[in-house]
Amino acid sequence: MKVRIGVGAAGASSTPEALGELVAAIDELGFDSLWLSEVLTGPVIDPAVGLAWAAASNPRVKLGTTMLLPGRNVLRLAKQLASLDVLCRGRLLVTLVPGLTYPPEREAIGVEPKQRGAVIDEALPLLRRLWAGETVSHEGAAGTFHDVKLSPLPVQKPLEVWLGGNVPSALERCGRLSDGWLPSLCTPEEAAAGRVVIEEAAAKAGRSISSEHFGMSIGYASKPIDPATARTMAARRPRSLELTPVGLPALRQLIERFIAVGFSKFVLRPVVPPASWRAELDALAGAVGDLQT
């Protein structure tokens, strides 16, 4: 099992200087990848734009995104991600997500949370067909187009798509449609149980997911969380405080527990943007870098 650790950027990466410092530190300290999440109403840069910038500034670092699928025209998304994979020469890692459910992000996405799963069901097979070079026609919530053949096509054949989510419908969808699973805010025991559901759903659909394609996105705090941040976290996602390791030793212990139940790909996200990405990643590399294989 190949253990890999990527770094998820926070709001502190929203300037060229900060993002450049982060990309350089990821490369120099041996982390696997840079991850940019999409939050329309948050203080973060657009992931496609940020990853294109990072690709131009560094020829080695892999580039990952947790990007919104609901609310997007599927043809535009297919074109955008294929173009990015071409420009970064096949270094793109894609996890598509339904999006957050608290305001103002909930309204900004434009699709009610209960409808987002159906959008993913419709859109993901279309993305795969477009990236495979098929001529595709479609009319639906994901977009309307006729006899479209995408160009350029992704360098990666196929361009893999992972999904997140912990609820039963998301687990079933992951097994039925995705190439991997990257959830957050669950315990190792819950993750292991979710993997069983995913693998059963995949088998029922006549497919399988690589044992190397189970990962975890972990928000962590290097030091005790200040009261204002804690209140915000608890209001938005009730279990977030309970499931956020505080201190790098606690983070390492949690990663080891996930590895013990068969998870091998990790995205580590500081819940409070660091003052210096280089200092943050120096400490993070010393605490968990040797877990990579």
Side-chain angles (χ1 to χ4, degrees):
M1 188 168 69
K2 297 178 181 178
V3 176
R4 298 289 185 266
I5 296 175
V7 178
S13 65
S14 296
T15 66
E17 294 77 15
L19 187 56
E21 181 185 33
L22 174 56
V23 173
I26 287 173
D27 187 20
E28 293 167 12
L29 295 170
F31 288 101
D32 178 73
S33 47
L34 164 72
W35 286 79
L36 300 182
S37 297
E38 183 169 28
V39 182
L40 297 174
T41 60
V44 295
I45 57 177
D46 178 271
V49 174
L51 293 180
W53 187 95
S57 68
N58 186 288
R60 293 175 295 274
V61 171
K62 288 188 281 185
L63 308 166
T65 179
T66 48
M67 182 176 281
L68 290 168
L69 183 48
R72 272 202 162 92
N73 177 291
V74 71
L75 179 56
R76 291 180 184 272
L77 180 60
K79 183 87 168 183
Q80 185 178 38
L81 292 177
S83 299
L84 184 52
D85 195 54
V86 169
L87 291 175
C88 73
R89 302 182 188 276
R91 289 182 281 148
L92 182 62
L93 307 171
V94 178
T95 297
L96 296 177
V97 298
L100 301 172
T101 58
Y102 54 78
E105 188 73 8
R106 172 177 176 151
E107 293 78 18
I109 291 170
V111 180
E112 282 298 312
K114 291 183 178 180
Q115 300 172 351
R116 294 176 190 175
V119 172
I120 296 173
D121 284 339
E122 177 185 329
L124 184 48
L126 291 171
L127 288 171
R128 294 196 188 282
R129 293 179 61 196
L130 288 163
W131 290 332
E134 296 183 25
T135 299
V136 181
S137 298
H138 182 72
E139 292 186 13
T144 298
F145 47 91
H146 301 282
D147 299 325
V148 171
K149 188 177 179 67
L150 190 69
S151 182
L153 296 177
V155 170
Q156 299 179 75
K157 301 186 186 304
L159 177 57
E160 295 180 340
V161 174
W162 292 29
L163 296 176
N166 305 326
V167 300
S169 60
L171 298 175
E172 186 277 334
R173 180 177 300 109
C174 187
R176 178 165 45 85
L177 294 177
S178 82
D179 298 299
W181 187 38
L182 188 71
S184 63
L185 292 180
C186 60
T187 68
E189 294 75 21
E190 291 167 342
R195 176 173 177 170
V196 171
V197 175
I198 289 170
E199 291 178 331
E200 289 175 348
K204 186 176 180 179
R207 58 194 305 270
S208 63
I209 296 176
S210 169
S211 61
E212 295 279 353
H213 287 190
F214 289 88
M216 186 61 52
S217 178
I218 303 175
Y220 73 93
S222 299
K223 57 186 179 180
I225 301 170
D226 67 88
T229 300
R231 286 193 297 270
T232 299
M233 291 172 62
R236 290 177 172 178
R237 306 179 85 171
R239 296 185 70 197
S240 59
L241 284 176
E242 169 196 348
L243 296 172
T244 298
V246 177
L248 296 180
L251 174 61
R252 181 186 178 95
Q253 291 172 7
L254 182 59
I255 295 171
E256 290 175 335
R257 289 174 60 201
F258 277 114
I259 292 172
V261 296
F263 284 66
S264 60
K265 307 302 181 288
F266 299 94
V267 179
L268 307 183
R269 303 172 284 104
V271 296
V272 176
S276 164
W277 275 112
R278 180 66 199 211
E280 182 76 20
L281 265 60
D282 274 332
L284 192 61
V288 305
D290 65 303
L291 295 175
Q292 295 193 104
T293 55

